Amino acid sequence: MSETTGSQLPAGTREPSAHGGSQARGIWIALASSAAFGISGSFARGLFEAGWSPTAAVAARMAGAAVVLAIPAVLAMRGRWVLVRTNWLSILLFGLFGVGACQLCYFLAVQRLDVGVALLLEYLAPVLIVLVLWVRHQKRPSAATIAGTLLSLLGLIAVLDLTGASAIDPIGVLWGLGAAVGLTVYFFISAKVDGALPPIMLSAGGMAVGAITMLLVGALGILPMTFAAGSGSFAGFQTPWWAALIGLIMIATVFSYTTGVMAARALGSKVASFISLTEVLFAVLWAWLLLSELPGLVQLFGGLLIVAGVVLVRVDELRALRKGQ
């Protein structure tokens, strides 16, 4: 997800109640996670300017994160390796689609679009989830969910700014929508994972699967796999490739995923998921500060519509869950 969904816990995970100082601390941790996730597009842009291809950037990001997360993941398992065997398919699909395809499509979109616009397209995932569930279960959504969906679709039209002076790259738009599809698959997969499987093991396993997949994609020539020792412009300075890569791995992946899990455990995944929506705002802010990118007023308005629509859909979902309890 972008990787914002790292703040989600698989279905069945206990959501402890958080009160007072614990809840306030959880909110700050969740905001830190969103800020870290939001900077991934800016770090990736630095690698692209240094001569890296999106496939290489995703492969290096996931491989580095898998190595860093390996030891904590092993410690978290503590002899419960049978859970990996019983959840191997979910881990595989998580790595292929929820991590690999989602990140690759997002980075390919960032290569052609502003960081903020690419992320807003990815954030149409909740709308796609509503449509998939509608078709699969033949159950008409509530009026509030339909309103939120339409609001997000109107926001998409505004983000594309079809009548604006600056043309939007249609290939970049397709990659952004592909990232939304990958994020949608992630939600469905993580909802079916055994809650006893530690989230950090799911993250580490998914990163390893995604890295291997990207390396195979490059080795087979499906997409270019280009590494380079150049530099890119970052906050007005020429930054070497290794600095952007370290930031992408340690800040935008390891730190963001770890704090996302911490926030979900402190607040519950539902509250944490609402706060994760701030990733869009952080991504736009980072792109403005570090890359001097800022979407036009019409695109910013469209982004607000998308976020408002997603919030409306999720509020309606929580209301339905409360009624069912």
Side-chain angles (χ1 to χ4, degrees):
M1 92 187 155
S2 93
E3 299 73 36
T4 306
T5 52
S7 62
Q8 302 289 327
L9 287 178
T13 301
R14 182 176 65 88
E15 295 188 19
S17 58
H19 302 285
S22 176
Q23 187 168 20
R25 184 167 58 252
I27 291 174
W28 283 109
I29 293 174
L31 288 172
S33 178
S34 292
F37 273 123
I39 202 173
S40 64
S42 298
F43 280 130
R45 180 63 62 80
L47 285 176
F48 300 158
E49 291 182 359
W52 287 51
S53 67
T55 311
V58 174
R61 177 188 189 183
M62 289 187 291
V67 170
V68 174
L69 292 173
I71 294 178
V74 170
L75 293 177
M77 295 307 294
R78 282 194 287 267
R80 295 180 293 168
W81 291 101
V82 65
L83 294 173
V84 175
R85 188 169 67 251
T86 56
N87 290 279
W88 70 268
L89 182 58
S90 295
I91 295 174
L92 178 64
L93 294 175
F94 177 86
L96 289 175
F97 298 100
V99 175
C102 183
Q103 290 187 21
L104 179 61
C105 288
Y106 174 62
F107 280 6
L108 286 167
V110 166
Q111 198 177 35
R112 294 172 175 267
L113 303 172
D114 285 350
V115 171
V117 174
L119 189 60
L120 289 170
L121 291 172
E122 182 181 349
Y123 257 82
L124 287 171
V127 175
L128 297 181
I129 292 173
V130 170
L131 297 177
V132 169
L133 293 176
W134 189 353
V135 172
R136 176 184 295 181
H137 299 292
Q138 298 297 311
K139 183 178 179 181
R140 182 177 179 273
S142 67
T145 294
I146 293 176
T149 302
L150 293 176
L151 202 61
S152 292
L153 293 177
L154 288 175
L156 172 62
I157 295 174
V159 165
L160 298 181
D161 195 11
L162 300 178
T163 60
S166 58
I168 291 289
D169 189 319
I171 303 299
V173 171
L174 291 177
W175 284 124
L177 294 176
V181 172
L183 188 56
T184 300
V185 173
Y186 169 86
F187 275 114
F188 283 121
I189 292 174
S190 50
K192 294 182 179 180
V193 174
D194 184 355
L197 182 70
I200 197 168
M201 184 64 224
L202 179 64
S203 297
M207 293 292 175
V209 170
I212 293 172
T213 302
M214 291 300 105
L215 291 174
L216 288 175
V217 166
L220 295 174
I222 299 174
L223 288 173
M225 176 78 75
T226 305
F227 300 91
S231 61
S233 178
F234 202 73
F237 299 96
Q238 286 298 306
T239 305
W241 65 271
W242 54 265
L245 180 60
I246 290 176
L248 186 62
I249 294 173
M250 299 303 299
I251 298 176
T253 308
V254 174
F255 176 82
S256 57
Y257 270 87
T258 303
T259 52
V261 171
M262 292 171 59
R265 287 182 173 175
L267 301 171
S269 60
K270 297 183 183 69
V271 176
S273 69
F274 273 100
I275 299 177
S276 74
L277 293 173
T278 58
E279 182 190 347
V280 176
L281 304 179
F282 279 117
V284 172
L285 178 62
W286 287 124
W288 176 43
L289 293 175
L290 302 176
L291 306 176
S292 299
E293 289 183 1
L294 187 64
L297 291 178
V298 174
Q299 292 174 320
L300 288 174
F301 176 70
L304 292 177
L305 290 180
I306 290 177
V307 174
V310 171
V311 169
L312 188 57
V313 169
R314 291 192 173 182
V315 167
D316 186 52
E317 179 185 354
L318 295 182
R319 186 185 300 117
L321 288 174
R322 283 196 298 270
K323 287 182 180 179
Q325 292 176 348

